[in-house]
Amino acid sequence: MIQFVLDCFYRPAADLKDAQLEFALTNTGQTTLKSFTLAYTALTRAARTHELDNADGLLRLANFHEVTPPDGLELEPGATWTFAIRGLANPARHRLDGPKSGYVSCGGAIIDVVCNDLETTADLDTGERKSLPAGRPDEPLHIVPWPQSVEISDYRTGVSSVLITSGTVEEKAAANKINALSRRLFPDAPYPFRFTSSLPHPKMAFQQDGELAPAGYRLRFSGDIITLAYGGDAGRDYGLTVLAQLAYGAYRAPDTYRFPSKGAIEDAPRFSWRGTHLDVSRHFRGAADILRLLDILAWGRMNVFQWHLTDDEGWRLEIKSYPELTVSGARRGPGCQQVPQLGFASEVHEGFYSQDEVREIVAHAASLNIDIVPEIDVPGHSTAVLKTYPHLADQAELPESYHSVQGYPNNALNPAMEETYQFLEKVFAEVANLFPGDYIHIGGDEVDAKSWLASPKTQRLMEERALKDTMEVQAYFMGRVRDILRKFGKKLAGWDEVSHGGGIDPDGVLLMAWQKQEVTRDLIAQGYEVICTPGQHYYMDMVQASGWHEPGASWAGVSTPEATYAYEPTEGLSEDGTGLLKGVQACIWCEHMTDNDIFNHMVFPRLYGVAEAGWTLPEQKNWARFAAQTPLFPAL
């Protein structure tokens, strides 16, 4: 078997046209390589106007690059071919910005290439890495997110379970449900609730209290007696979850955490929307991972999961009206309609969720008080759709007349074509049937300012409706999409660009403010309900330190765990504006997250920091206490 390794060095420059990537492909096998090409995927992309040193050609589509060596080059065992690309579309800032994966193509064979981490000049590496202080709990209680009021005056040791002494069938079933949640997350820990016992466990009774908020609860501790009062089913489950956390902390870290024996906890969430978004287009995750993530959200009392199901890199939801979306649209790699992107270059990367799987996941989420908001990202980020169904493009539109920020050519559904709306109506009909929540998220982000301007059909639409530019065309599109969603009893959610080009009537529209924190204030001023999810603080793919070896992206800067925890989403809002802030959301974008180790390193504990921002009043937050608890947080 021929084996290869690709080393890459980034040489920065003041002007990107002078910056370069220097490559070295080494043959570590026993056979000479002849008549081949090298393909690799990298987020640091060659510019469209680039220069090559010691290579004859380069083809690029978004992050996929295929390089042709000089004519007649033969790579003997132990030999190295060096080449360089001068002129880059974007700078490299961290080691994972270079080639993630690659292969050589030779005589029809696809042979994997090991890609080393990207290196650079020493002055670009600050040496900083993600760090967390040991922290110090101000009270010996393990609870995350922290409640609004904690007044505990005495504690006891040796408690790992609570005895349910009374309750309705529904209340006992809820305790059993939290037992199952705890066991899935911590299979080596005792169940937090028992229903009979000969041992002296603390005894708990339920009490429904109509004066408490539906998601509110109150725990009273008096010696061996615990009373859980709750406003609604969600409040009951949240109170049980807090008891489970208290028992788990006392079991896992008895030198630090104890179980209350006297006092009270009174609590209700700060915001109604405490969300987490996950991108499964870039790197597909199976149903088991989604179920696990939902368990993690429930443990942190988060209540919304935005499921980013489609993007340029893959369509992940079965649509029976368009079966090819989850065949060619859900596959990329050698020999596929879509070329490799963002890793796994030499293999076929594929996957989608069947409608039966979705129903199972939706039911599991509902049992944990989590609403799922599906995202079908349109009109941009639609390469997977347009490659699968090319008739949805204006055939008279010039090829590569525009490119998305990720480098995809002509990747937006055309608002001037009735075929676009026929397609979306069938798609959204099935999506609405699968997801019972109020909202469908339609994306609306990162449409290039030159989109559709070379389309004769769009030009006619602009003339007929006096639309001046791409953003006004997109606003027209958004109005049409909202009308489709209304037919199915759904409201429109989208990214903040939905407001561009004159936007649409804010009534019933929910927007995610992601580009910078000021956007939250601006959207609220326009009358939109808003979710605060700034990339600078709540994007889990941002690096957590400035050092070269820290994994992640950095277009929005560095977001340390402490900075994520400390960010206040109402900053700069008036009292009236705060009322339109529906909540907060963490966003997990997965360009860099090729395995669970990287995922867990980047997502945790920051995800729980966003959970606490959504639940806990600012005056009750405490970074040292939060940091001390992080070793007990579950991960994927």
Side-chain angles (χ1 to χ4, degrees):
M1 174 64 71
I2 302 176
Q3 297 176 335
F4 303 96
V5 61
L6 182 67
D7 293 305
C8 188
F9 188 88
Y10 171 62
R11 199 168 296 282
D15 192 323
L16 278 174
K17 69 180 179 61
D18 298 317
Q20 66 180 31
L21 292 174
E22 299 168 355
F23 297 84
L25 178 68
T26 301
N27 183 351
T28 61
Q30 301 298 315
T31 305
T32 298
L33 181 65
K34 305 176 183 179
S35 302
F36 67 96
T37 60
L38 167 69
Y40 70 88
T41 68
L43 282 163
T44 299
R45 301 183 294 274
R48 286 192 292 276
T49 55
H50 60 267
E51 297 178 0
L52 296 175
D53 289 338
N54 201 31
D56 281 355
L58 170 67
L59 296 174
R60 178 175 75 79
L61 176 59
N63 308 290
F64 175 79
H65 302 70
E66 187 170 27
V67 185
T68 302
D71 187 41
L73 177 73
E74 297 184 1
L75 199 60
E76 298 177 348
T80 298
W81 166 43
T82 62
F83 66 96
I85 300 172
R86 186 180 304 107
L88 304 178
N90 53 300
R93 294 187 176 94
H94 298 275
R95 64 181 175 89
L96 295 186
D97 287 339
K100 291 185 182 298
S101 60
Y103 62 83
V104 294
S105 178
C106 179
I110 300 296
I111 307 162
D112 190 42
V113 169
V114 174
C115 295
N116 270 333
D117 290 334
L118 183 65
E119 289 189 330
T120 191
T121 56
D123 60 302
L124 284 192
D125 184 10
T126 66
E128 293 181 355
R129 296 296 308 277
K130 169 186 174 181
S131 63
L132 280 165
R136 179 175 51 83
D138 51 350
E139 299 194 47
L141 302 170
H142 174 55
I143 310 173
V144 61
W146 195 254
Q148 311 300 2
S149 174
V150 177
E151 295 184 1
I152 304 298
S153 59
D154 205 359
Y155 303 88
R156 58 185 295 173
T157 58
V159 174
S160 58
S161 298
V162 171
L163 180 63
I164 305 295
T165 57
S166 65
T168 66
V169 170
E170 291 78 14
E171 289 167 338
K172 291 180 178 179
N176 194 39
K177 176 176 65 179
I178 302 305
N179 260 356
L181 171 65
S182 177
R183 178 55 58 93
R184 291 193 300 269
L185 293 174
F186 310 107
D188 59 339
Y191 282 116
F193 301 107
R194 299 188 64 87
F195 297 87
T196 62
S197 178
S198 300
L199 298 176
H201 299 286
K203 301 174 177 61
M204 194 200 83
F206 294 91
Q207 177 187 348
Q208 187 159 16
D209 186 342
E211 295 186 0
L212 293 174
Y217 68 90
R218 179 177 58 247
L219 289 165
R220 294 197 185 280
F221 303 87
S222 180
D224 287 338
I225 304 301
I226 304 168
T227 302
L228 168 57
Y230 61 91
D233 290 352
R236 176 200 63 205
D237 291 354
Y238 293 149
L240 289 166
T241 302
V242 167
L243 282 172
Q245 290 181 348
L246 290 167
Y248 178 70
Y251 168 77
R252 180 61 64 203
D255 294 337
T256 304
Y257 299 111
R258 290 178 286 166
F259 197 87
S261 62
K262 187 175 182 181
I265 296 172
E266 295 201 31
D267 201 11
R270 180 187 185 191
F271 290 116
S272 63
W273 186 293
R274 305 175 305 282
T276 292
H277 152 289
L278 178 67
D279 159 28
V280 294
S281 176
R282 274 57 181 261
H283 291 110
F284 177 74
R285 291 186 169 275
D289 277 354
I290 304 303
L291 293 169
R292 171 77 180 186
L293 180 61
L294 290 169
D295 285 348
I296 289 168
L297 301 189
W299 192 249
R301 305 201 293 286
M302 301 182 93
N303 68 338
V304 178
F305 174 52
Q306 181 180 327
W307 204 355
H308 187 86
L309 290 161
T310 74
D311 214 301
D312 292 304
E313 291 84 358
W315 183 285
R316 305 299 179 197
L317 175 64
E318 179 188 17
I319 300 295
K320 295 185 184 296
S321 300
Y322 296 100
E324 284 299 313
L325 285 172
T326 46
V327 181
S328 61
R331 307 175 80 235
R332 63 178 191 257
C336 297
Q337 187 170 257
Q338 297 188 85
V339 298
Q341 302 285 350
L342 304 167
F344 311 107
S346 64
E347 60 191 82
V348 174
H349 184 78
E350 62 183 329
F352 68 93
Y353 307 99
S354 72
Q355 293 196 1
D356 285 342
E357 285 178 312
V358 169
R359 292 186 184 95
E360 175 190 353
I361 289 167
V362 168
H364 184 74
S367 75
L368 299 173
N369 306 292
I370 296 171
D371 292 328
I372 296 185
V373 177
E375 182 181 356
I376 306 298
D377 200 350
V378 293
H381 291 279
S382 293
T383 297
V385 176
L386 293 168
K387 286 283 188 181
T388 303
Y389 296 111
H391 72 277
L392 291 175
D394 183 349
Q395 300 304 308
E397 185 175 19
L398 294 174
E400 302 210 23
S401 58
Y402 63 90
H403 292 80
S404 73
V405 68
Q406 289 84 12
Y408 286 93
N410 294 27
N411 74 329
L413 296 176
N414 196 312
M417 296 174 58
E418 286 304 310
E419 294 91 336
T420 294
Y421 304 106
Q422 293 164 8
F423 167 79
L424 291 176
E425 183 153 351
K426 290 182 179 180
V427 167
F428 286 133
E430 296 191 34
V431 173
N433 187 53
L434 289 169
F435 296 93
D438 292 338
Y439 291 99
I440 292 177
H441 198 293
I442 52 75
D445 61 315
E446 295 185 326
V447 170
D448 185 75
K450 296 180 181 179
S451 296
W452 313 307
L453 297 183
S455 161
K457 292 182 178 180
T458 299
Q459 289 298 317
R460 285 195 295 273
L461 175 71
M462 294 174 72
E463 183 177 350
E464 291 168 1
R465 296 189 172 267
L467 305 175
K468 296 192 296 293
D469 56 23
T470 289
M471 289 300 100
E472 291 195 5
V473 174
Q474 175 170 287
Y476 165 81
F477 170 86
M478 290 299 165
R480 294 282 304 266
V481 170
R482 183 172 66 173
D483 290 343
I484 292 172
L485 296 182
R486 282 176 170 170
K487 290 176 61 174
F488 304 117
K490 301 297 184 181
K491 297 179 182 180
L492 185 150
W495 302 107
D496 57 53
E497 293 98 320
V498 169
S499 68
H500 293 181
I504 56 177
D505 181 356
D507 183 40
V509 174
L510 177 69
L511 298 187
M512 275 69 174
W514 70 274
Q515 296 190 70
K516 53 186 177 179
Q517 64 187 54
E518 292 83 3
V519 174
T520 298
R521 181 192 62 220
D522 295 343
L523 292 176
I524 285 175
Q526 296 175 54
Y528 292 100
E529 282 195 313
V530 178
I531 305 301
C532 180
T533 179
Q536 294 79 3
H537 303 285
Y538 288 170
Y539 270 34
M540 304 289 100
D541 58 320
M542 291 300 110
V543 289
Q544 299 175 79
S546 62
W548 181 261
H549 291 287
E550 187 66 26
S554 58
W555 60 261
V558 173
S559 182
T560 66
E562 183 174 7
T564 295
Y565 182 83
Y567 178 67
E568 172 48 45
T570 64
E571 182 180 332
L573 298 182
S574 67
E575 186 172 337
D576 290 342
T578 301
L580 284 172
L581 180 61
K582 194 176 180 71
V584 299
Q585 183 162 289
C587 287
I588 306 174
W589 296 103
C590 290
E591 285 92 338
H592 289 292
M593 298 184 191
T594 52
D595 59 50
N596 277 358
D597 287 338
I598 295 176
F599 184 98
N600 288 334
H601 176 87
M602 295 174 68
V603 171
F604 304 108
R606 291 188 296 180
L607 180 66
Y608 298 102
V610 180
E612 191 148 309
W615 184 282
T616 308
L617 292 171
E619 58 268 26
Q620 301 300 330
K621 293 172 65 176
N622 182 312
W623 166 243
R625 178 189 63 222
F626 178 86
Q629 295 190 89
T630 58
L632 276 66
F633 296 167
L636 201 63

